[in-house]
Amino acid sequence: MTPARARRPQVPMARRRIELVEAAVQVMRREGAWTVTTRAVAAEAGVPHGSVHYAFSSKHELLKAVFAADVEGATRVFSTVDLEGGATQVLARACRAYADRLTADPETELVLQELSLMGARDPELRAIVQESTATYRRLVTDLLTGVTDRAGGRWDAPVELVAEQVLGVLFGSAASWLVGRDDDLLRATLSDLASLTASRWSPG
């Protein structure tokens, strides 16, 4: 008599999705974002190919979850910045926290940068990148608004415009750092960003 095949333990869907996102990131960290396929993710996670499509309706839905995980981490960084003190101190803390997160996991940042560039050619992926960027924009806007709410004063331009400029420097500095890996230059650049941005705030 043929022995009964051992049944795979059931994994809750939420946990399975997390595992597949982690597997997708690992594949892209190792081989580049453009190489990711649902079959590669299944192999990395050690699950049948159908499990990926059961958890995510498409590869783009999986990539959307990858960006969502990044946004969750960014939210923890920006939403926990201490708002005590003036604009210079608050922005300096935020920039240091951003630099710490970037330098702690450069390969994941590289994956996200690659996916963002791929979105320029892929309309479906572009929508996902735009959604992620919109959340970053909101986080920076909320931080700048928090400065005025706590300390009073105002920015010399609409807060959304100031936030967009801050975000542009943050993302651009991250891309440059990924190539040069000059930590001192990164931190000096972001420190200067904090000071220059703070100079646009007046207490009156």
Side-chain angles (χ1 to χ4, degrees), residues 98-142:
Y98 181 84
D100 289 344
R101 183 169 184 259
L102 170 63
T103 56
D105 191 2
E107 298 310 315
T108 297
E109 178 65 23
L110 180 57
V111 165
L112 294 165
Q113 295 266 356
E114 289 172 344
L115 287 172
S116 296
L117 288 175
M118 288 165 59
R121 293 186 180 275
D122 181 336
E124 194 171 355
L125 181 56
R126 185 185 311 143
I128 296 169
V129 176
Q130 288 172 337
E131 183 178 339
S132 171
T133 303
T135 303
Y136 268 93
R137 187 178 293 117
R138 177 182 57 77
L139 290 170
V140 176
T141 300
D142 288 350

Side-chain angles (χ1 to χ4, degrees), residues 5 27 53 66 89 105 111 117 141 143 175 184 189 197:
R5 181 180 298 178
V27 169
H53 289 284
V66 169
Q89 294 92 336
D105 191 2
V111 165
L117 288 175
T141 300
L143 180 68
D184 291 339
T189 299
T197 304

Side-chain angles (χ1 to χ4, degrees), residues 19-84:
E19 290 174 352
L20 292 172
V21 166
E22 292 172 347
V25 171
Q26 189 58 34
V27 169
M28 292 186 286
R29 283 166 56 102
R30 187 173 61 244
E31 301 174 16
W34 58 90
T35 69
V36 71
T37 64
T38 53
R39 289 190 182 279
V41 172
E44 184 73 26
V47 300
H49 184 217
S51 295
V52 181
H53 289 284
Y54 185 69
F56 296 99
S57 60
S58 66
K59 184 176 81 171
H60 281 93
E61 283 300 308
L62 173 58
L63 294 179
K64 185 175 182 178
V66 169
F67 275 102
D70 172 64
V71 164
E72 184 179 343
T75 300
R76 286 195 296 270
V77 168
F78 285 104
S79 65
T80 58
V81 172
D82 183 2
L83 296 177
E84 194 68 39

Side-chain angles (χ1 to χ4, degrees), residues 148-185:
T148 56
D149 287 347
R150 187 175 184 87
R154 61 185 179 83
W155 297 99
D156 68 357
V159 67
E160 295 81 7
L161 179 60
V162 180
E164 189 69 17
Q165 292 167 342
V166 169
L167 199 60
V169 176
L170 289 177
F171 285 174
S173 297
S176 295
W177 178 81
L178 285 169
V179 176
R181 304 294 172 102
D182 187 332
D183 290 4
D184 291 339
L185 179 59

